[in-house]
Amino acid sequence: MRSIRAAAAGAVTLSLALAATACGGGSATGGGSNDSPKTLTYWASNQGAGIEVDKKVLQPELDKFEKQTGIKVKLEVVPWSDLLNRILTATTSGQGPDVLNIGNTWSASLQATGALLPWDAENFGKIGGRDRFVDSALGSTGAEGKDPAAVPLYSMSYALYYNKKLFADAGISKPPATWDELVADGKKLSKDGKWALGMEGSNPSENIHHAFVFAKQHGADFFTADGKADFTGDGTVAAVKQYVDLMAKDKVIAPGNAEYAQNQSVSDFAKGKTAMLLWQSASANLESQGMSKDDYGIAPVPVRSGTPGTGKQVNSMVAGINLAVFKNTDNSDGAAKFVKFMTSDAEQKILNKAYSTIPPVKSAQTDAAFATPANTVLKDTLAKSAVALPQVADESQFETAVGTAVKSLFADAAAGRPVTTGSVKAALEKAQQQMPAA
Amino acid sequence: MTTTAQAERPAVRKSTPGAARGPRRRTGRVRRVGLPYLLLLPALLLELLVHLVPMVIGIVMSFKELTQFYIRDWGAAPWSALDNYRVSVDFDAPVGEALLHSFLVTIAFTLLSVGLCWLIGTAAAVFMQDTFRGRGLLRALFLVPYALPVYAAVITWVFMFQHDNGLVNHVLHDQLGLTDKPSFWLIGDNSFIALLTVSVWKGWPFAFLIVMAGLQNIPGELYEAAALDGAGVWQRIRRITLPSLRPVNQVLVLVLFLWTFNDFNTPFVLFGRTAPEAADLISVHIYQASFVTWNFGTGSAMSVLLLLFLLLVTGGYLALTSRGRRRAS
């Protein structure tokens, strides 16, 4: 009797185990289906001051969508630090959401995995056509010459946020337009325990965005025309050095910022501890930290000389969030409907207002909310002087490698160690060697 | 063997009166021999699923060129033969050089951390052997670091190590004036000290717990006899306590070594996805190779090399200690 019972237990365990492997194996093949037309899973990136804020913004919209279509959307807000890994895991296992947010700089990297639905003419047709979107936003939806891997959802650009009162106290009448002016103003502002500029020295993504813009202003690029990593050109080295020198040589950034990576610089700015901040769409975040709209002004990010524009006067990367659909979704039609809903004029206005971003949908930009002085700066930057980060398959690696190199240079600067052309070049060379040999 | 021996002599059995009992006895024996294996089967299957299958998959991956182009269908990734291993151990090239650096950092970190954990844990356990008022409370307090969830504990340390508002700088610089300016603990070279501090803080209560259990097994008569013979405290520790704790310590040191060497949570929570060079532990380094650089093939090869190293160390250590034990007995 006992052995029979044991054998039965063994058989049950075995069948359970087999079932588990069958589930875990995940089939990576094939496209989407319409097996479960009544539900969708949506991974939203954390846009607001906290995950709860995002849920509050998104849930009413999702309820509206359910009322219209009968499709229930299961929402999960994923923090930035986890998002890329979560997407990667979902790609490997095939057990991901149906629709998800991706950082637009990751578009080409994620496109290379083949897990995302390509937005060809037919798919674009389902959501009203490609022409509805702003060109600069479409520029960061995948590698050139391929069908986009995602659709733009929120657009952002960097701008210079400055504290009006601190500027007035220091006798400065207008925000700096060039880096020389910023450093000169910065020296007046950095005193009495206050500092001129805030930044996130330990956040590789922030670092790479700024390094990229500085490089553009030096007429340099991190990649050759055929997509090969080239991090050690003279222009690139000079650009990264100029950026780190804001702390090392010009001393307009507090050394403590070298270890910031959790948006502490935004809090510092909101508390009036720093006078300037280079940030994308900080308004909602600043307000939630108790800073009133009248306390700060928004100006374009400085350039080396002249006014921002194309070519060497680039002063922002094209920042933003894209909406992508996993190829193996069980609800293809529903996913298309959802993307159409989220990129509709009405929803674009609601969502971009809530997140203080700019709609990448042209017709939604006409709303008065996006014509305030602050939003005009962002809109102009996006239209005239912003460039998309390199759309190469190795973009994620590039972000981390160069971003980490800059992080270590800031650590040197904070510790009072010299930052020289040689040390910058060495750090960038190491970053380049970490890139996968393509 | 016994069953075949029986099968060879069927004629004899047929002639004996008790022949009918033959087959029944045989099934009884099968049942008796087979039952333990049958009972082990579920555990074996789960072990296979949980440990062996992933390990084999990992080893297979280490021979493939597995980048983001293939992660969706990794079976289709091209074979790269020994390329991943060659890249990992080529210490003149950047990938190998970085791996070697991180390996050496990990060795130094592990030796220091295990040494300190053992030292503090043993000292605390010996101290707590004598009964005094509040011993129970103190004992419970000692175990707090061990009982706290790793993430919560380490994130608290992150706050304390902050440059501007952290408690560590507040005490060292503002109150005691030991440093002429606030130090950075989470970036730059000091990050090694920060990492070591957290690791020892987290690890020593385990050593304390194990050593305390070991101490309770030492017969009190030994100490009484030693006291009669005029042995002092230090002599009692050296001649009785430490030799008696030997078997406990052997296991303790091995376990601490393996845990510390492979610790991922502490550096990851302290420093995030990319650790400062001075505190670039191998676990995070391999994570970075796999999940940040998206080169899962090379990452797997590094993991396999690490596994081989740990097997070698563990095997050597066990051989060494068991030989010592055999000689002693």
Side-chain angles (χ1 to χ4, degrees):
Chain A
M1 258 327 265
R2 213 175 263 174
S3 63
I4 292 169
R5 212 177 291 158
V12 170
T13 318
L14 182 66
S15 60
L16 272 178
L18 286 177
T21 38
C23 292
S27 66
T29 48
S33 67
N34 280 310
D35 294 345
S36 59
K38 285 286 146 212
T39 53
L40 278 175
T41 312
Y42 173 42
W43 284 359
S45 54
N46 175 207
Q47 294 297 124
I51 284 174
E52 287 310 312
V53 175
D54 282 299
K55 284 187 184 158
K56 226 178 270 170
V57 170
L58 291 171
Q59 198 55 54
E61 309 312 309
L62 303 182
D63 293 343
K64 211 186 289 172
F65 178 69
E66 190 180 356
K67 211 176 256 173
Q68 283 177 16
T69 60
I71 299 172
K72 171 131 189 74
V73 181
K74 277 183 268 174
L75 170 71
E76 188 176 347
V77 182
V78 186
W80 267 112
S81 49
D82 297 342
L83 187 57
L84 192 56
N85 269 356
R86 291 281 298 272
I87 298 174
L88 220 52
T89 315
T91 306
T92 323
S93 67
Q95 311 282 316
D98 302 294
V99 188
L100 72 161
N101 281 173
I102 63 174
N104 67 355
T105 61
W106 306 335
S107 298
S109 289
L110 293 174
Q111 184 176 40
T113 68
L116 302 181
L117 181 81
W119 287 86
D120 52 18
E122 190 199 329
N123 282 329
F124 259 123
K126 291 179 194 164
I127 60 167
R130 197 189 161 103
D131 300 335
R132 293 183 62 235
F133 296 92
V134 178
D135 271 343
S136 68
L138 280 175
S140 52
T141 51
E144 215 174 311
K146 284 189 186 168
D147 288 324
V151 172
L153 183 63
Y154 316 125
S155 280
M156 286 175 262
S157 74
Y158 276 92
L160 179 77
Y161 291 74
Y162 63 97
N163 185 314
K164 286 181 186 166
K165 182 170 178 301
L166 291 179
F167 265 58
D169 289 351
I172 305 166
S173 56
K174 61 175 179 51
T178 67
W179 290 111
D180 287 343
E181 282 173 33
L182 184 136
V183 170
D185 289 347
K187 289 191 169 150
K188 287 184 216 162
L189 290 159
S190 300
K191 57 174 186 203
D192 307 330
K194 291 192 167 47
W195 289 84
L197 186 63
M199 60 97 194
E200 305 272 314
S202 280
N203 181 342
S205 302
E206 279 292 310
N207 284 337
I208 193 61
H209 296 164
H210 295 300
F212 169 74
V213 168
F214 272 93
K216 282 284 174 200
Q217 293 185 0
H218 281 262
D221 220 330
F222 283 96
F223 286 88
T224 60
D226 54 347
K228 285 211 172 65
D230 176 23
F231 299 168
T232 54
D234 289 345
T236 322
V237 172
V240 171
K241 184 166 186 298
Q242 191 196 346
Y243 178 44
V244 180
D245 268 347
L246 289 173
M247 176 188 285
K249 192 174 110 234
D250 307 322
K251 305 205 184 296
V252 295
I253 300 176
N257 287 23
E259 66 174 23
Y260 283 7
Q262 261 98 41
N263 300 352
Q264 293 98 321
S265 59
V266 180
S267 309
D268 281 358
F269 182 76
K271 285 181 201 140
K273 282 163 93 178
T274 48
M276 288 181 277
L277 184 68
L278 297 169
W279 208 259
Q280 20 171 328
S281 312
S283 304
N285 200 338
L286 291 174
E287 259 167 76
S288 76
Q289 302 203 41
M291 198 178 197
S292 129
K293 264 206 162 67
D294 306 323
D295 294 340
Y296 62 90
I298 300 183
V301 175
V303 290
R304 292 179 77 193
S305 63
T307 49
T310 46
K312 279 197 177 189
Q313 312 305 335
V314 166
N315 65 348
S316 177
M317 43 93 68
V318 177
I321 306 297
N322 291 346
L323 196 58
V325 175
F326 257 116
K327 222 186 231 171
N328 65 356
T329 167
D330 288 334
N331 190 358
S332 284
D333 292 345
K337 276 183 204 157
F338 184 63
V339 174
K340 184 177 182 192
F341 172 79
M342 293 289 276
T343 54
S344 68
D345 285 6
E347 286 307 312
Q348 278 286 300
K349 285 176 194 170
I350 296 172
L351 293 172
N352 282 289
K353 268 183 219 168
Y355 291 134
S356 64
T357 50
I358 302 291
V361 171
K362 288 177 198 164
S363 43
Q365 282 191 359
T366 52
D367 191 283
F370 305 110
T372 60
N375 280 331
T376 309
V377 169
L378 301 178
K379 227 162 51 179
D380 280 358
T381 303
L382 273 176
K384 293 175 200 150
S385 57
V387 175
L389 243 61
Q391 297 289 308
V392 292
D394 295 331
E395 200 282 332
S396 293
Q397 292 93 320
F398 155 69
E399 245 183 65
T400 315
V402 178
T404 308
V406 176
K407 171 179 165 178
S408 71
L409 289 168
F410 271 121
D412 283 347
R417 258 179 303 208
V419 174
T420 62
T421 305
S423 73
V424 172
K425 190 163 182 168
L428 287 173
E429 203 160 272
K430 219 177 114 196
Q432 177 162 346
Q433 287 167 341
Q434 283 166 1
M435 293 294 286
Chain B
M1 285 311 270
T2 44
T3 42
T4 49
Q6 278 174 349
E8 275 163 13
R9 294 179 286 156
V12 185
R13 233 192 282 135
K14 232 175 229 172
S15 62
T16 53
R21 288 172 63 198
R24 202 189 302 158
R25 199 192 300 152
R26 204 182 304 162
T27 52
R29 193 167 291 149
V30 167
R31 202 180 280 173
R32 221 173 303 139
V33 174
L35 186 59
Y37 293 103
L38 207 61
L39 289 175
L40 274 177
L41 197 65
L44 276 175
L45 275 174
L46 282 180
E47 173 67 20
L48 198 73
L49 273 171
V50 174
H51 280 128
L52 287 176
V53 169
M55 206 157 92
V56 170
I57 292 176
I59 293 172
V60 172
M61 278 182 175
S62 71
F63 292 105
K64 290 200 159 207
E65 192 191 310
L66 200 58
T67 56
Q68 74 254 47
F69 296 101
Y70 300 104
I71 56 162
R72 194 161 152 258
D73 185 12
W74 67 272
W79 286 98
S80 64
L82 286 172
D83 272 0
N84 289 326
Y85 290 92
R86 217 171 287 140
V87 167
S88 304
V89 296
D90 182 1
F91 299 137
D92 292 326
V95 175
E97 193 191 336
L99 185 68
L100 182 66
H101 167 83
S102 131
F103 179 72
L104 295 176
V105 167
T106 313
I107 293 270
F109 164 75
T110 309
L111 292 180
L112 280 170
S113 173
V114 172
L116 287 169
C117 282
W118 180 82
L119 208 66
I120 299 174
T122 305
V126 168
F127 169 69
M128 298 290 275
Q129 228 184 339
D130 300 326
T131 40
F132 54 86
R133 268 181 84 151
R135 181 171 81 147
L137 182 75
L138 206 56
R139 212 187 252 177
L141 271 181
F142 279 2
L143 292 178
V144 165
Y146 187 60
L148 277 179
V150 180
Y151 189 86
V154 179
I155 206 82
T156 312
W157 277 101
V158 172
F159 291 133
M160 297 205 294
F161 278 127
Q162 300 269 311
H163 176 263
D164 291 336
N165 311 311
L167 183 76
V168 174
N169 274 342
H170 183 64
V171 171
L172 289 183
H173 177 71
D174 303 345
Q175 294 188 325
L176 300 177
L178 291 176
T179 49
D180 40 333
K181 60 176 183 178
S183 322
F184 283 97
W185 296 103
L186 297 173
I187 53 175
D189 291 344
N190 285 343
S191 51
F192 184 81
I193 301 173
L195 182 62
L196 189 63
T197 309
V198 180
S199 171
V200 171
W201 176 85
K202 206 160 67 80
W204 77 263
F206 178 71
F208 166 70
L209 206 65
I210 297 296
V211 172
M212 201 166 63
L215 285 176
Q216 258 142 33
N217 280 333
I218 306 175
E221 292 88 357
L222 282 178
Y223 289 104
E224 282 164 25
L228 279 178
D229 289 342
V233 175
W234 179 237
Q235 258 186 325
R236 265 180 273 168
I237 290 179
R238 229 176 58 121
R239 307 261 177 201
I240 301 174
T241 314
L242 287 181
S244 311
L245 281 178
R246 224 184 117 121
V248 170
N249 275 334
Q250 279 167 357
V251 178
L252 173 65
V253 167
L254 182 67
V255 168
L256 273 182
F257 175 84
L258 291 177
W259 282 357
T260 314
F261 201 93
N262 275 326
D263 190 7
F264 178 79
N265 295 330
T266 314
F268 191 77
V269 180
L270 268 183
F271 307 119
R273 280 150 48 98
T274 52
E277 219 168 308
D280 188 20
L281 291 194
I282 202 148
S283 53
V284 178
H285 191 85
I286 292 176
Y287 164 83
Q288 208 181 319
S290 306
F291 291 94
V292 179
T293 317
W294 291 16
N295 201 333
F296 298 88
T298 316
S300 303
M302 289 174 177
S303 303
V304 172
L305 288 173
L306 186 69
L307 182 73
L308 288 177
F309 170 77
L310 288 177
L311 278 178
L312 214 68
V313 170
T314 314
Y317 179 85
L318 286 178
L320 215 68
T321 49
S322 70
R323 202 196 299 147
R325 203 180 303 150
R326 226 176 288 135
R327 208 184 293 138
S329 61

